Amino acid sequence: MKSEQVRGLIEGKVPGIVIRVPRERRVMVHAPQERLMEVLGFLRDQGVTHVSTISAVDRMEEKLFEVLYHLYWENNEITVRVEISRENPVIPTVTTVFPGALPYEREVQDLFGIRIEHIPDPRRILLPDDWPAGVYPLRKDYTVK
Amino acid sequence: MTSPLDVALYLLIFPGFLFLLLFGLFCEWLDRKVYARMQNRVGPPIFQPFADLVKLLGKEDIIPRNVDRVLFQYTPLIAFAAVMTPIFNIPIWSVKALFPLQGDLLITLYLLTIPTLALFVIGWSSVSLYPLVGGFRAATMLFGFEVPFILTCLSAGVIAGSWSISDITAHLALQPVGMLVLVPGFIIALLALEAKLERTPFDIPHAETEIVGGTLTEYSGKKLAVMHLVDDIGMVVGSSLLAAIFLGGFIFLDSSFVLYGTDITPWINFILYVAKSLIIVFVLTLVRTLFARLRIDQMLDFSWKYLAIGGLFQMFIAVMYVGSSVGGIP
Amino acid sequence: MKENIVIPVGPQHPSFKEPMRLDLSVDGEKVVSADIIVSFNHRGVEKATEARTYTQNLYLIERVCGICSHSHVNCFCQAVEEILGLEVPERAQYIRTFIGELERMQSHLFWFGVAGHMIGWDTFLMYTWKDRERVNDMLELTTGNRVHYALNTVGGVRRDIREEDMERLKRGLGFLEERTRYYMHVMTEEETFLKRTVGLGLLPTEMAKRLCAVGPTIRGSNVKFDVRADDPYAAYGDLDFSVVTSDTCDVWGRTYVKAGEVLQSIRMCNQILDELPGGEVRVKAPSRVPAGEAVTRYEAPRGELIYYVKSNGGNTPERIKIRSPTLANWLVMTEMLKGVYIADVPIVTDAIDPCLCCSGRVTITDHSRGERMVTTLDALRKRGMDRRGIS
């Protein structure tokens, strides 16, 4: 499917979303935080099943975290981006919509300290068991001395 | 009656301890060398098994805290003694073994079961998880290969009309046709021996990739060295047994060859004995190279479906042969 | 209530090439459920990339994985080139693809050997690894290295394939094709091999898709999911190849897919050598990467590899997110182990071709001394040297 077709399919279906097509086979969707589940649910209903991964970016100066959900569908990599507060980073689990997202949610929670609500398995995934709580290595204020 | 000095010589030198040790190490080398060459590798030099033995004997011998000390420490010696003893009942340089007894075939079969039972006891007394599972597997395998092994060996006894290995060899020397009748039994006994020695495709009890070291995981130093020797000598004695009862006809009766007044038949027979044993070791190695390891349930399946049935078939044709005009005891 | 025995497998275990812990809940000889704990090998690569320039990152990222190093660098370079808007010359793309396919072949042959060892068949291991040496020889001929080829750079490749090497490369490919057809024959006919792979580690198609599996794992469950065909990059748009799948959904299927892929790789390599376009092998890349972001995907030997690179215009990247294929296959590994005999655990675990050094990356902590201090590589190195009395 051409990326423009994908854009046409999603455009306007959920209020507040902004779609950008930087090149062929890449669609970037910017969604407001409260619309995240709606967007993902809509995509799932279209037939999307594959979550490639979930990235997070620490925008410390702007006091935001960016969370990006990279999904693959019909030759396109669709990235859904939301911005959440850095002071109190909470986001709902998407495993109800995409069960395969679990390892990536655990990774984001472990390394960034973004709390994922109702995550089916809240254990650490990459950090050792005796890693101090409250220390999140991938945040910008954590430096390796 | 043989003098005590003679007995000591027999027990310690030939065909006892020293001979078994050297022949065992040699067979281990042959096995590893042939295995390697068939895999396109170079393989170890001839003194490698000896070097491995010496190295193990010099290593620290660790006894874990919670094991049953007596069983843990002394079972290897029992297995060692059990596996060496049958050589005195197996004909080496003549149709008669050194100390033939009526029923020594049965005694040998019992003695050769002891190493497997020892592995189970070792696994049990080691307390830790991997040897335990290994020990259970060793005991489970026993239910698979023991019946075919016994059936086929006893078939040879049926043909000879005796439970003595020496009598079987003598009978086959006089009536070599018997060996043809025993061919299916031979093949089955070879596979059963492969399982008894815990070699691929039946090396389930010490499958490294699954249960670390298997039964012998907790062993080190001298005890491990003894158990390795049990393996090697088991291979020698097992091959010798099969050589005596299935290839027994390839032997010369006493005084067949006399050179300058000396009866050199024992030497000729000894060479034949070594050749027969080495051929069997070679076949065992071939099987080891060609196949992947079976799972325990697959092994039991195979044993009962093919080996045991085959053993019964062998027994059947042995009885028929004896009852027919061709067979019969001279 | 019957209590199942829990057998911990690992983190040190002869069947694992890397530390990993499987907690197997067993009933007799069958696995009831499995829990996988990785992360013993965490290294902190993503964090480390933020402190290095793009050029320095080329070297770091190459070392994320030994056996799929080219995949990682390639994916990274593609991302940076996309942000820069840089057009890489065609010849460079072809060379990148050639090395990528050789890497795939070498990785799959490696896996055959490991799989053989897992089922107690060392002969298979010896044979396949000997043939793998041929691939390594070809890689050494073209790049100068057997592992970590140091071939890629932003803007192209650093070495060219010489005319005089073509003959040897073609002969190598011919030899490998013959050997791979032989292995294909062996894996379809050899009884003991079939007994240990057919019907094991079942992964139904729907479950594979739902749990987002990738690579030969999902292709062995009859799903045509291959980044080279779906989302072409480098020279794949020009090459003829088929995506190999198997409908058996078991370990055997995954083996078959890998063997088929080696044959397809040989086909592609031959085509590349025949149709290699002329021209430059690299273009000069600007020293500064403007602000921007890119999502790139690559079909590594183990499956889909995805990079998200974000630049803020500075000389070090803002964020590099790496998701290696093995992490994507963890969830399905737990599912595949259910109902499996203990004896089959190594081969089922190995069927996803785990490459854990790719999956777990975090900072070094010295917890053998009960200390939660975070230390640098330099400090650790110094401490190691002190212990050995080296100054």
Side-chain angles (χ1 to χ4, degrees):
Chain A
M1 197 182 278
K2 291 264 177 273
S3 25
E4 284 305 328
Q5 280 176 280
V6 177
R7 180 217 284 267
L9 213 66
I10 313 175
E11 195 113 63
K13 291 296 192 313
V14 178
I17 61 175
V18 177
I19 304 177
R20 195 169 59 89
V21 175
R23 51 157 266 214
E24 53 167 359
R25 301 194 298 271
R26 296 287 182 270
V27 178
M28 311 294 277
V29 179
H30 191 123
Q33 182 178 358
E34 57 277 10
R35 299 285 180 195
L36 173 67
M37 296 309 283
E38 231 182 292
V39 175
L40 295 180
F42 171 76
L43 289 171
R44 188 261 322 262
D45 295 336
Q46 299 305 306
V48 181
T49 52
H50 187 84
V51 179
S52 294
T53 192
I54 303 175
S55 306
V57 183
D58 184 3
R59 282 160 54 187
M60 196 168 68
E61 306 79 31
E62 299 157 82
K63 301 204 172 51
L64 293 173
F65 278 125
E66 255 181 52
V67 185
L68 299 99
Y69 296 81
H70 304 279
L71 312 164
Y72 171 78
W73 186 57
E74 298 282 327
N75 311 97
N76 282 273
E77 190 73 15
I78 306 168
T79 304
V80 179
R81 184 205 318 260
V82 290
E83 286 163 355
I84 64 176
S85 141
R86 198 177 187 275
E87 313 299 305
N88 184 28
V90 181
I91 202 163
T93 182
V94 303
T95 52
T96 45
V97 182
F98 298 115
L102 181 61
Y104 315 127
E105 289 194 329
R106 282 173 71 186
E107 188 179 354
V108 162
Q109 193 169 253
D110 208 9
L111 296 172
F112 278 91
I114 296 173
R115 195 164 64 83
I116 312 257
E117 281 181 326
H118 311 302
I119 188 172
D121 185 352
R123 291 176 303 168
R124 289 198 185 285
I125 193 170
L126 294 180
L127 291 172
D129 292 330
D130 53 3
W131 186 264
V135 178
Y136 303 113
L138 277 182
R139 289 196 184 187
K140 291 291 180 188
D141 49 6
Y142 178 93
T143 45
V144 181
K145 282 163 275 297
Chain B
M1 273 318 295
T2 35
S3 75
L5 182 64
D6 284 339
V7 173
L9 250 102
Y10 289 140
L11 278 177
L12 294 173
I13 315 276
F14 183 89
F17 179 69
L18 192 64
F19 166 70
L20 284 175
L21 181 71
L22 292 175
F23 198 17
L25 291 176
F26 177 76
C27 285
E28 183 188 334
W29 173 78
L30 188 70
D31 175 56
R32 286 166 69 173
K33 188 74 171 177
V34 170
Y35 186 62
R37 294 302 297 144
M38 288 202 274
Q39 289 178 342
N40 253 309
R41 295 184 290 127
V42 176
I46 192 165
F47 54 81
Q48 185 71 49
F50 179 69
D52 290 340
L53 181 69
V54 170
K55 180 204 77 169
L56 267 182
L57 287 172
K59 290 255 177 188
E60 183 187 354
D61 208 329
I62 303 170
I63 303 180
R65 206 182 317 186
N66 293 330
V67 300
D68 182 317
R69 293 196 134 238
V70 172
L71 287 177
F72 194 76
Q73 286 190 279
Y74 297 111
T75 316
L77 293 177
I78 297 175
F80 193 49
V83 86
M84 280 203 293
T85 313
I87 199 75
F88 298 110
N89 296 136
I90 295 173
I92 297 180
W93 60 79
S94 141
V95 288
K96 234 174 55 134
L98 193 56
F99 295 120
L101 294 166
Q102 273 309 313
D104 59 26
L105 176 62
L106 300 173
I107 297 175
T108 303
L109 289 174
Y110 281 135
L111 285 173
L112 288 179
T113 315
I114 291 180
T116 316
L117 295 176
L119 280 174
F120 173 71
V121 169
I122 290 168
W124 179 262
S125 68
S126 293
V127 177
S128 94
L129 186 61
Y130 298 120
L132 199 66
V133 176
F136 280 134
R137 287 184 176 184
T140 312
M141 286 227 306
L142 196 63
F143 287 115
F145 64 73
E146 199 62 20
V147 168
F149 194 64
I150 293 176
L151 275 176
T152 47
C153 291
L154 293 186
S155 305
V158 163
I159 289 183
S162 159
W163 295 139
S164 168
I165 303 174
S166 306
D167 289 345
I168 296 172
T169 311
H171 175 91
L172 289 175
L174 291 170
Q175 295 199 317
V177 178
M179 288 198 291
L180 280 174
V181 180
L182 285 170
V183 164
F186 186 34
I187 297 171
I188 291 167
L190 273 171
L191 290 173
L193 183 62
E194 190 90 343
K196 213 184 200 11
L197 296 169
E198 294 187 3
R199 293 152 57 93
T200 323
F202 309 118
D203 62 344
I204 301 152
H206 51 249
E208 169 218 303
T209 53
E210 300 160 26
I211 48 176
V212 192
T215 329
L216 302 177
T217 311
E218 298 295 340
Y219 268 17
S220 52
K222 290 192 282 296
K223 294 196 286 294
L224 192 58
V226 171
M227 288 313 288
H228 277 175
L229 279 182
V230 168
D231 252 344
D232 290 342
I233 294 176
M235 187 154 70
V236 170
V237 172
S239 307
S240 307
L241 177 69
L242 295 192
I245 65 180
F246 292 106
L247 299 177
F250 299 111
I251 200 167
F252 296 103
L253 295 171
D254 288 338
S255 306
S256 307
F257 297 98
V258 179
L259 196 67
Y260 308 129
T262 337
D263 182 3
I264 59 160
T265 328
W267 294 101
I268 311 253
N269 281 336
F270 180 69
I271 294 170
L272 279 174
Y273 157 76
V274 171
K276 284 186 281 188
S277 304
L278 290 182
I279 290 172
I280 293 175
V281 169
F282 178 76
V283 172
L284 291 176
T285 308
L286 199 64
V287 173
R288 181 159 91 100
T289 317
L290 290 174
F291 302 114
R293 182 189 306 132
L294 290 179
R295 257 194 344 246
I296 188 98
D297 62 306
Q298 292 169 332
M299 178 260 171
L300 288 174
D301 211 48
F302 177 72
S303 299
W304 284 98
K305 266 198 207 143
Y306 299 103
L307 297 184
I309 306 274
L312 280 174
F313 173 69
Q314 171 66 81
M315 184 62 94
F316 178 70
I317 58 174
V319 170
M320 295 304 289
Y321 168 75
V322 168
S324 75
S325 54
V326 185
I329 295 96
Chain C
M1 189 178 109
K2 188 159 164 213
E3 235 182 70
N4 294 324
I5 305 175
V6 177
I7 297 185
V9 183
Q12 304 304 329
H13 192 274
S15 88
F16 298 150
K17 292 171 266 145
E18 295 159 297
M20 170 166 86
R21 204 174 86 218
L22 285 179
D23 276 340
L24 302 173
S25 195
V26 299
D27 180 12
E29 283 259 343
K30 276 204 170 185
V31 174
V32 170
S33 68
D35 190 20
I36 303 170
I37 295 135
V38 193
S39 84
F40 292 95
N41 235 1
H42 229 139
R43 287 173 297 157
V45 172
E46 285 179 14
K47 186 77 181 178
T49 57
E50 293 172 16
R52 284 162 174 72
T53 64
Y54 289 89
T55 315
Q56 289 173 321
N57 276 325
L58 279 176
Y59 296 105
L60 178 62
I61 282 170
E62 187 161 50
R63 280 144 186 82
V64 168
C65 180
I67 209 165
C68 46
S69 61
H70 181 83
S71 312
H72 280 276
V73 197
N74 226 19
C75 206
F76 173 65
C77 287
Q78 277 167 205
V80 179
E81 285 152 9
E82 194 176 310
I83 301 176
L84 284 169
L86 201 62
E87 181 93 23
V88 173
E90 242 196 322
R91 190 177 175 90
Q93 298 283 34
Y94 269 67
I95 294 176
R96 280 181 177 176
T97 315
F98 182 70
I99 300 295
E101 287 307 309
L102 280 181
E103 181 179 71
R104 189 184 317 279
M105 279 158 57
Q106 150 305 100
S107 172
H108 285 342
L109 284 169
F110 180 83
W111 184 83
F112 289 140
V114 175
H117 184 65
M118 291 297 170
I119 57 175
W121 201 16
D122 285 344
T123 309
F124 195 53
L125 177 143
M126 299 298 169
Y127 279 19
T128 46
W129 281 21
K130 184 158 190 261
D131 296 333
R132 179 173 172 259
E133 286 304 305
R134 200 57 183 265
V135 184
N136 279 334
D137 289 342
M138 285 164 66
L139 282 165
E140 195 179 5
L141 185 65
T142 23
T143 67
N145 290 313
R146 286 158 52 97
V147 186
H148 294 326
Y149 319 117
L151 185 75
N152 269 318
T153 184
V154 177
V157 294
R158 292 166 62 223
R159 275 189 164 73
D160 200 350
I161 297 182
R162 296 176 304 181
E163 219 24 72
E164 55 263 36
D165 292 335
M166 291 283 196
E167 170 70 38
R168 274 178 72 179
L169 291 173
K170 287 229 129 193
R171 264 185 297 142
L173 289 171
F175 168 79
L176 287 161
E177 177 162 4
E178 193 191 310
R179 296 300 293 166
T180 313
R181 288 202 190 281
Y182 169 65
Y183 295 134
M184 190 66 119
H185 172 76
V186 164
M187 72 179 63
T188 4
E189 307 285 315
E190 168 56 40
E191 198 57 47
T192 45
F193 182 81
L194 292 173
K195 273 196 143 71
R196 294 302 302 276
T197 52
V198 170
L200 285 183
L202 284 170
L203 182 64
T205 310
E206 276 319 301
M207 185 181 280
K209 292 207 290 206
R210 200 166 56 90
L211 296 179
C212 307
V214 297
T217 308
I218 200 174
R219 290 196 284 277
S221 293
N222 210 18
V223 179
K224 262 188 151 69
F225 183 72
D226 186 332
V227 185
R228 296 173 292 171
D230 305 330
D231 186 3
Y233 53 93
Y236 290 105
D238 299 333
L239 297 177
D240 302 319
F241 68 100
S242 0
V243 175
V244 185
T245 56
S246 164
D247 57 2
T248 55
C249 303
D250 56 8
V251 171
W252 187 88
R254 284 161 224 141
T255 315
Y256 174 79
V257 166
K258 290 188 173 89
E261 283 182 8
V262 174
L263 290 172
Q264 291 298 317
S265 293
I266 295 173
R267 179 179 169 194
M268 282 190 261
C269 285
N270 274 314
Q271 194 184 352
I272 290 173
L273 290 178
D274 290 335
E275 298 176 9
L276 194 61
E280 288 298 305
V281 290
R282 82 192 264 194
V283 290
K284 186 103 176 56
S287 43
R288 266 285 147 93
V289 178
E293 60 184 2
V295 176
T296 42
R297 300 163 73 227
Y298 187 100
E299 186 70 27
R302 281 151 194 76
E304 175 199 23
L305 173 66
I306 180 167
Y307 269 62
Y308 169 69
V309 177
K310 183 163 187 186
S311 163
N312 54 16
N315 57 354
T316 60
E318 170 79 11
R319 175 88 173 99
I320 299 185
K321 165 80 183 144
I322 309 172
R323 197 280 277 131
S324 308
T326 303
L327 183 57
N329 285 332
W330 276 4
L331 281 180
V332 297
M333 184 147 80
T334 336
E335 289 302 311
M336 289 196 287
L337 284 171
K338 289 187 181 156
V340 153
Y341 282 102
I342 299 180
D344 294 325
V345 166
I347 185 73
V348 172
T349 319
D350 195 58
I352 68 160
D353 204 356
C355 184
L356 299 169
C357 53
C358 283
S359 317
R361 293 173 303 277
V362 119
T363 323
I364 311 153
T365 307
D366 188 358
H367 43 154
S368 61
R369 288 162 53 147
E371 285 171 354
R372 296 196 191 97
M373 134 200 111
V374 178
T375 176
T376 61
L377 272 171
D378 278 348
L380 274 184
R381 200 183 305 132
K382 181 168 188 311
R383 193 163 47 195
M385 283 159 68
D386 285 347
R387 205 176 291 154
R388 285 164 182 74
I390 310 166
S391 54

